[in-house]
Amino acid sequence: MKTIDQYNFAGKKALVRVDFNVPLDAEYRITDDTRIRAAVPTIQKILADGGAVILMSHLGRPKTGPEEKYSLKHLVNRLEQEFNTTVLFAEDCVGPQAVQLAAELQPGQILLLENLRFHKAEEKGDADFAKELATLGDVYVNDAFGTAHREHASTAVIARYFPKDKVMGYVMTAELENARRVLGNAERPYTAIMGGAKISDKILIIEKLMDRVDNLLIGGGMSYTFVKADGGEIGSSLVEEDKIDLAKRLIAMAREKGVNLMIPVDSVIADAFSNDANVDTCLSHHIKPLWMGLDIGPTAREMYADVIRNSKTILWNGPMGVFEMSNFSVGTEAVADAVVDATRMGAYSLIGGGDSAAAVNKFGYADRVSYVSTGGGALLEYMEGKTLPGVAAIERDDY
């Protein structure tokens, strides 16, 4: 692995792809700076070596070019506070101003480029756009694991223009090391917790995990496809009708491989998708017509917590319910509590980005688990055995 520690940045301008896709409120204030804080050690290493830093990132999903709400200028003050220095800002990521600011950049200085996705060429993986970005720096550092599964101009294609000067930052390195830990010879009992809305998002990872884990705990909206596949009545709960046969096959596969596949025995149900709805608890296989399951129930919470607390390796991807609503966040918090307890007792716990990371942060547990991934989709694809373009572009000379 070509890592940042193997490179001396003295006198170099480092073009660093970070993941500063942070949430902003209506006044453009950052509401969660986790991704910014994650990138700090990489930036500090470059500056400490005597290098200059040129930061590039995307923010949101702009449709037709520049949009005020997606401008990275809203991050400048936060970065200046973090590094106690003036952060220069280029109003475009390419073009005369970016070229001039990059050319005049001195060791110890930081330049932030405007949102890469204001150019369609970024997501298209356009080689000319990548080459234009590449002219701004002497060395390329990819520290954006959250976008490593995308073959975009700034995340993969650009590496071609730095054949000898391309490395991974600390975030990328840590992400891969932690993912490999649960992919390799993980200590047993090994428990995977899979939640979220759709089984279709998790098919490949569930199949992969069947050969590795002892316990597979299912929660979230996807659990009701399993319940229906198991002959249950699920009312108006979320279900993927076209995935019922698949769920049946996964249940059979778990039985065949000796994996303890657990579907929530009971659910917190509501008569509408709202925090103000009428709420009840019932067996997951017997949900009333017109009612929907929105969280795992109290018995399921206890059963899941018991399995988790007796585990030595834990992988968690996806919430147990609609945790954004207080009435349906109890299951996710119970799982988080159990993961924290297990970690305290010596288990290794990897939280798989996305909503799982958001939940752990919401409950204030981020520093009480082993590792919180910054990239949900990228982590899943890596664990499914797929090649991540952003990783291959650094590791392979022929990419």
Side-chain angles (χ1 to χ4, degrees):
M1 205 190 299
K2 298 175 182 176
T3 70
I4 194 170
D5 282 327
Q6 299 164 342
Y7 200 94
N8 187 341
F9 292 90
K12 301 280 191 179
K13 291 170 185 174
L15 192 57
V16 188
R17 178 51 160 103
V18 287
D19 183 3
F20 283 174
N21 185 27
V22 296
L24 303 173
D25 65 17
E27 279 75 48
Y28 309 122
R29 291 181 300 237
I30 300 166
T31 57
D32 182 353
D33 66 355
T34 303
R35 285 174 169 160
I36 291 175
R37 287 185 284 110
V40 169
T42 292
I43 297 167
Q44 285 177 331
K45 149 73 175 167
I46 297 164
L47 297 176
D49 276 4
V53 174
I54 303 167
L55 298 171
M56 54 180 180
S57 179
H58 73 286
L59 175 61
R61 296 183 176 181
K63 296 283 189 288
T64 55
E67 291 182 54
E68 176 72 13
K69 66 178 178 179
Y70 296 133
S71 174
L72 286 170
K73 70 184 179 187
H74 304 306
L75 278 55
V76 170
N77 287 343
R78 175 68 186 82
L79 292 169
E80 289 184 336
Q81 290 167 10
E82 185 68 50
F83 296 102
N84 195 27
T85 187
T86 300
V87 172
L88 302 168
F89 181 70
E91 293 172 6
D92 196 353
C93 56
V94 290
Q97 188 200 29
V99 169
Q100 184 178 347
L101 287 170
E104 295 171 355
L105 203 63
Q106 298 300 307
Q109 289 189 307
I110 300 171
L111 167 63
L112 175 65
L113 305 178
E114 183 55 287
N115 194 337
L116 294 157
R117 290 190 184 172
F118 285 172
H119 293 264
K120 294 282 187 204
E122 161 66 0
E123 292 181 88
K124 288 178 180 173
D126 184 88
D128 290 335
F129 181 65
K131 189 174 185 179
E132 208 173 341
L133 289 169
T135 61
L136 302 176
D138 306 309
V139 51
Y140 172 63
V141 181
N142 193 345
D143 210 25
F145 182 76
T147 60
H149 56 319
R150 309 286 186 212
E151 195 161 5
H152 292 171
S154 70
T155 61
V157 181
I158 192 172
R160 297 174 195 164
Y161 303 102
F162 297 93
K164 304 294 182 200
D165 298 278
K166 54 181 181 178
V167 295
M168 292 182 196
Y170 290 126
V171 173
M172 284 280 277
T173 305
E175 291 278 1
L176 293 170
E177 286 173 351
N178 281 277
R180 286 166 183 165
R181 183 164 176 174
V182 295
L183 278 173
N185 297 318
E187 194 177 353
R188 294 179 177 276
Y190 180 178
T191 296
I193 309 156
M194 289 285 135
K198 294 183 175 181
I199 189 175
S200 53
D201 297 336
K202 307 281 167 74
I203 295 168
L204 290 173
I205 186 71
I206 288 173
E207 288 180 337
K208 264 301 194 229
L209 290 169
M210 286 287 191
D211 290 320
R212 293 189 163 90
V213 302
D214 301 294
N215 307 294
L216 182 57
L217 314 186
I218 304 294
M222 64 187 272
S223 63
Y224 298 103
T225 300
F226 280 94
V227 172
K228 187 162 184 179
D230 199 42
E233 297 292 334
I234 60 169
S236 61
S237 303
L238 183 69
V239 64
E240 291 176 275
E241 295 286 353
D242 62 331
K243 296 293 183 288
I244 288 172
D245 286 342
L246 169 70
K248 286 179 180 175
R249 184 167 65 78
L250 292 172
I251 291 168
M253 187 188 296
R255 199 175 295 123
E256 179 189 319
K257 292 177 180 289
V259 174
N260 176 31
L261 174 67
M262 297 179 73
I263 304 164
V265 294
D266 59 346
S267 294
V268 177
I269 62 172
D271 60 0
F273 188 81
S274 166
N275 203 45
D276 301 321
N278 293 307
V279 176
D280 200 356
T281 303
C282 72
L283 294 174
S284 298
H285 281 60
H286 300 283
I287 297 175
K288 296 179 277 192
L290 305 180
W291 285 63
M292 63 188 76
L294 295 181
D295 196 8
I296 61 173
T299 305
R301 293 198 293 266
E302 286 182 25
M303 291 172 69
Y304 282 20
D306 188 51
V307 170
I308 293 164
R309 289 192 179 100
N310 286 294
S311 300
K312 289 295 183 188
T313 303
I314 301 159
L315 169 66
W316 180 17
N317 186 279
M320 296 295 97
V322 189
F323 77 99
E324 299 88 349
M325 299 183 194
S326 57
N327 284 334
F328 313 110
S329 66
V330 183
T332 302
E333 189 165 11
V335 164
D337 283 334
V339 172
V340 166
D341 288 345
T343 308
R344 192 176 64 248
M345 293 185 287
Y348 171 80
S349 52
L350 173 59
I351 312 302
D355 284 340
S356 309
V360 166
N361 287 326
K362 176 184 176 182
F363 303 133
Y365 291 161
D367 59 349
R368 296 167 66 187
V369 296
S370 302
Y371 191 76
V372 181
S373 175
T374 59
L379 179 70
L380 284 183
E381 289 200 16
Y382 186 73
M383 296 192 71
E384 288 165 6
K386 293 177 182 173
T387 296
L388 302 188
V391 175
I394 302 291
E395 289 186 332
R396 289 174 13 203
D397 293 328
D398 62 338
Y399 190 82

